[in-house]
Amino acid sequence: MRDSKIVDFLAELADRVPAPGGGATAALHAAQAAALLGMVARYTTGERYTRHAETVVAVIAETDNLRARALKLAEEDAAAFLAVTDAYRLPKGEERSAAIARALAGAAEPPARVIEAATRVIELCELLLPFGNRNVVTDVAAAAEAARAALTTARVNVEVNLGGIKDERVREALNIRISGVDAAVARADWVTAEVREVIHS
């Protein structure tokens, strides 16, 4: 996926194939969010921003890391979903049921990690917004909105797997990991609202 052209990825996404799908798209939303914020940080350099230089360097490094991690999660999501379809092809019986439950737990993991990555991008948006280069301030909102899409899309991709996971502890742990999505979405909305205040003032 990392070596695919956008046009090829979109054609594959539109095709009648099991993966990539919504989970991979959620991860790509997170990758784009991290990339956008990294761009804003790179424009927030030079003499004018000297007092924030240490923070900016840290944001650049972390957004680069988050971008790479999210892209890897897109690939992992596609692979995990294929494992689910393989499990459903097994002959009916206890072994098949166990394989499906394991595969569904595995399929819930990449979007759960996307939620963590997207939440961190929003935290970095909040960090950079007060002093980030005002010439690219709309890209802070764009990053927050992309992270928001990653959060809500990843959440439904975790939820769709929960019903088939037999292990109560795994299910409970996943529910805990998605429980903060609404709060993170509210923070993304706040970032966008603040940016709109800036551009309309």
Side-chain angles (χ1 to χ4, degrees), residues 8-158:
D8 295 333
F9 171 76
L10 291 176
E12 194 175 5
L13 192 62
D15 204 356
R16 187 173 173 166
V17 293
T25 301
L28 286 176
H29 284 317
Q32 290 178 107
L36 280 162
L37 199 64
M39 181 262 284
V40 174
R42 285 180 169 88
Y43 272 110
T44 309
T45 55
E47 190 176 333
R48 183 178 174 186
Y49 305 100
T50 301
R51 60 189 289 241
H52 302 293
E54 189 175 334
T55 301
V56 169
V57 167
V59 170
I60 290 171
E62 191 166 0
T63 53
D64 285 354
N65 180 270
L66 286 164
R67 173 164 47 95
R69 190 192 316 169
L71 200 51
K72 190 169 186 291
L73 286 170
E75 295 172 335
E76 289 177 6
D77 183 87
F81 190 76
L82 289 174
V84 172
T85 60
D86 287 345
Y88 273 104
R89 290 193 185 105
L90 293 172
K92 288 189 176 181
E94 287 185 19
E95 192 175 318
R96 177 180 182 266
S97 297
I100 290 170
R102 283 194 305 272
L104 289 173
E109 187 60 29
R113 290 182 182 174
V114 168
I115 288 169
E116 293 160 3
T119 299
R120 182 55 183 159
V121 172
I122 291 167
E123 290 170 355
L124 293 173
C125 286
E126 293 171 326
L127 178 64
L128 195 59
L129 179 59
F131 61 85
N133 189 323
R134 285 301 182 254
N135 292 323
V136 287
V137 70
T138 53
D139 291 297
V140 179
E145 290 299 316
R148 185 190 201 284
L151 286 164
T152 55
T153 306
R155 176 171 58 187
V156 295
N157 278 273
V158 173

